[in-house]
Amino acid sequence: MRRVIFNQKGGVGKSSITVNLAAVSASQGLKTLVLDLDPQCNATQYLLGEVAEVAANKPELQPNIGQFFAQTLSLKGKEKPLAEYVHTTAFNNLHVIPSNPELGEIEHLLQSKHKIYKLAAALKELSRQYDNIFIDTPPAFNFYTLSALIASERCLIPFDCDEFSRRALYTLLENVGETKADHNADLEVEGVIVNQFQPRASLPLQLINELKEEGLPIMATYLPSSVIMKESHHKNLPLVFLAPQHKLTEQYVALFGELKDA
């Protein structure tokens, strides 16, 4: 199953959700791939640690997804399949295709060359080797996000419980609906993931209930905020490997259990 984690707003936990759901999948014996399309490379660094850190005096991690897209612009030589851009991680059954900060530099060229379906074709072929593929996206509705939506079967939308996020959510759903109508009839919104949930605050729960009444597909498992997530980032250890008995880890396991055909 190919899933994209999508939100145009930054700081909503896309990378954390992508990596931790993928880690749960891998921990359950499922061959799992993370594709990082965010030029910030957060998911890549989360899984690969120091080797993937971006610095001016350090060579980029290769091969990466930027090179995959760049080769589609070249008329020289035979294109390499997406499988050749996969890196192993320290965790069984879990692999990653790294991002690259230079993705933004070639975006306009990819758009002008109408390469919007390139990723979909490549991932469809690669998905034969994996039980689950999770795609992390940049905080914008751009070429790479649209490519990910076209290449996916399911869409998960992280949601912070505030009014600004609520307004943005409607736009997100419209974008997914338009992508489904114009490019990918198989795309479904699998669910809205409530992140940074504060159970003692009345407003978030009220907001969630209102969205449910509107018929929005709110996932039953809410993800609370916790300092363990910062520790997880710092140690480059997804929660299921860092603290399998922690409450937040259990919430991620429960959330993964809600996914269709996981």
Side-chain angles (χ1 to χ4, degrees):
M1 183 63 67
R2 301 183 299 277
R3 290 181 172 84
V4 57
I5 288 71
F6 169 52
N7 195 311
Q8 295 169 215
K9 187 173 180 288
V12 296
K14 288 190 303 294
S15 298
S16 295
I17 290 171
T18 301
V19 169
N20 280 287
L21 284 177
V24 172
S25 172
S27 73
Q28 296 186 8
L30 300 171
K31 192 173 181 183
T32 306
L33 174 69
V34 170
L35 168 57
D36 188 358
L37 286 178
D38 188 348
Q40 296 179 80
C41 307
N42 289 335
T44 301
Q45 294 178 47
Y46 196 172
L47 285 170
L48 296 180
E50 290 184 6
V51 69
E53 288 182 2
V54 178
N57 60 346
K58 184 179 178 182
E60 65 184 14
L61 181 63
Q62 298 185 27
N64 57 65
I65 194 63
Q67 293 172 319
F68 168 78
F69 280 115
Q71 75 170 347
T72 69
L73 299 172
S74 175
L75 299 177
K76 299 178 181 179
K78 184 180 179 181
E79 292 184 9
K80 296 180 181 179
L82 190 57
E84 294 192 22
Y85 295 83
V86 174
H87 292 240
T88 58
T89 73
F91 316 106
N92 290 337
N93 303 312
L94 187 54
H95 301 85
V96 60
I97 298 178
S99 186
N100 185 300
E102 297 178 358
L103 278 174
E105 297 178 12
I106 61 172
E107 182 181 357
H108 69 286
L109 296 173
L110 291 164
Q111 287 177 326
S112 65
K113 296 293 184 179
H114 306 290
K115 299 295 185 179
I116 201 67
Y117 295 101
K118 194 69 181 181
L119 182 65
L123 268 187
K124 188 174 183 180
E125 179 70 23
L126 189 56
S127 64
R128 297 176 184 176
Q129 302 177 33
Y130 289 92
D131 298 300
N132 284 310
I133 297 176
F134 292 88
I135 309 173
D136 190 21
T137 55
F141 188 55
N142 60 16
F143 171 86
Y144 300 112
T145 309
L146 182 56
S147 293
L149 289 168
I150 293 172
S152 299
E153 299 162 276
R154 302 284 187 270
C155 177
L156 293 168
I157 302 175
F159 174 72
D160 283 348
C161 297
D162 60 54
E163 189 59 35
F164 292 125
S165 295
R166 179 181 186 170
R167 295 172 190 171
L169 180 59
Y170 300 128
T171 302
L172 290 172
L173 292 170
E174 287 177 7
N175 289 336
V176 174
E178 289 175 1
T179 302
K180 178 181 176 70
D182 296 342
H183 302 287
N184 181 7
D186 295 329
L187 181 63
E188 295 181 12
V189 176
E190 189 165 21
V192 176
I193 299 174
V194 175
N195 195 28
Q196 305 292 332
F197 180 63
Q198 298 174 312
R200 293 186 178 87
S202 59
L203 185 59
L205 195 56
Q206 177 185 334
L207 192 57
I208 292 169
N209 289 333
E210 290 174 358
L211 292 175
K212 287 181 178 180
E213 290 174 1
E214 293 174 16
L216 272 65
I218 307 297
M219 304 295 282
T221 303
Y222 307 156
L223 300 175
S225 58
S226 174
V227 294
I228 193 70
M229 184 60 79
K230 292 183 179 180
E231 183 181 349
S232 174
H233 293 162
H234 179 70
K235 293 184 176 180
N236 306 118
L237 283 172
L239 291 169
V240 73
F241 303 118
L242 173 66
Q245 305 303 319
H246 194 277
K247 179 180 179 181
L248 184 55
T249 306
E250 293 175 348
Q251 295 297 91
Y252 268 104
V253 173
L255 179 62
F256 180 77
E258 288 189 58
L259 303 181
K260 302 173 184 176
D261 304 316

